[in-house]
Structure formats: structure tokens, C-alpha cells
Amino acid sequence: MPSGLPLLLLDVDGVLNPFGADQCPSGYEEFDFFPDEEPVRLCRAHAAWLRELGDRFEMAWATGWGAEANRLLAPVLQLPQLPVIGFPPIPFEPRDKVPPVASYVGSRPAVWIDDALTPEARAWAEGRKAPTLLVDVDPAEGLTQAVVLRALVWAEDLLAGGRSW
């Protein structure tokens, strides 16, 4: 049942896991969640940022991690179990996220934070009647306070506009 809050769609790789960095960034830890694969880099300090976002948004995983995001990442980042948007089996093209995202979001306002936003994602966002914000993240940098602030300011502006969704 919708909460009345805008949605926040959260990718993992490139956003919470800055896989594009040459080495593990300061403040991050490496986790060996998957044997024979690169370690996953997570910053426990992001837990406070994510809790703040969770106060203003109804959050959902928008990642190829699927249910593994709840099982492996939520405990580290002190997140509740979040809804998971179902994507095609991995590997899939980033543009293949758009139809499941569009279906999940429906007509609700939404912020989508991802490191691989495609022209198809931009066309979808521009064509929506509901307020939509796409936030690009550098996969070498991951989630930053500026990204979090941008989403929070967007939510405040939406609320200040007084429009009911």
C-alpha cells in the first residue's frame, strides 16, 4: 500500500558500491559477498543518509541485486527490508531497467539514483506527468552527500508545492 511519500529508487553497483574506484575509497569497507568476484565496497556512514532519505521517501531497490540487496546490504546499511523492482536476469542492458521501473512507479512522483541512466530512462522521465528526478552518480565516487541533499531538496520542493499525488 503506497505511503503517500514520493518514491526513491536506489541502485547498488556504482551508487552504494563505488566499483569504478581504483582502490577502496576512504571510509568504505570491502565485503566478500560473492566468491570469485570482486569485493563489494560499502560505507557504513551511509546508513544515516539512507535513514534520512527513508523519512522523506518510500525507498525501493532498483538493482540487478534483486532480493540479495535486502539479504546482504540492508543489515550492513541498517536498512529495513525494501521492496525490490524485478529486473531481467543478469546480465541485462541498463536500458532494460526502464520498463520495470515505469511499471513499479506508475503515476507516483519518483527519484531514481543510478550510475547508468540511459537515454531511454531520460525519455521516460521527461514524458511523465508526475514529478521525476533522475540523479546520475559517478561509479568511481558512489553516493555523496550532494546526491542525498539533491533528493531531499527535491522532496521538500514537492511538498511545498502542495500537490497531492
Side-chain angles (χ1 to χ4, degrees):
M1 181 172 167
S3 66
L5 296 173
L7 294 168
L8 186 133
L9 313 178
L10 190 61
D11 185 30
V12 173
D13 289 322
V15 176
L16 298 177
N17 172 26
F19 69 87
D22 291 338
Q23 56 188 348
C24 188
S26 177
Y28 283 76
E29 298 173 57
E30 293 188 332
F31 295 83
D32 291 318
F33 291 136
F34 306 106
D36 302 323
E37 291 188 24
E38 293 292 319
V40 174
R41 300 164 173 172
L42 297 175
C43 178
R44 291 181 192 270
H46 287 169
W49 294 354
L50 295 169
R51 277 193 304 276
E52 188 173 6
L53 288 168
D55 289 342
R56 304 277 176 77
F57 292 94
E58 182 181 315
M59 293 177 26
W61 295 115
T63 174
W65 281 60
E68 292 295 284
N70 278 324
R71 187 175 76 80
L72 298 171
L73 304 178
V76 174
L77 298 171
Q78 302 172 15
L79 289 172
Q81 299 291 293
L82 300 177
V84 176
I85 299 173
F87 291 132
I90 294 173
F92 59 83
E93 292 295 323
R95 69 176 172 266
D96 295 337
K97 284 185 169 184
V98 176
V101 162
S103 178
Y104 183 84
V105 169
S107 61
R108 292 180 64 189
V111 173
W112 184 1
I113 301 174
D114 203 305
D115 70 305
L117 293 166
T118 62
E120 293 85 356
R122 293 181 201 297
W124 166 77
E126 290 172 12
R128 298 187 75 226
K129 291 181 181 173
T132 307
L133 175 65
L134 300 182
V135 182
D136 290 293
V137 173
D138 179 343
E141 190 174 23
L143 188 68
T144 64
Q145 196 165 22
V147 167
V148 172
L149 183 59
R150 185 169 178 206
L152 293 171
V153 166
W154 182 89
E156 285 299 314
D157 289 348
L158 185 68
L159 182 63
R163 187 165 176 189
S164 174
W165 296 95

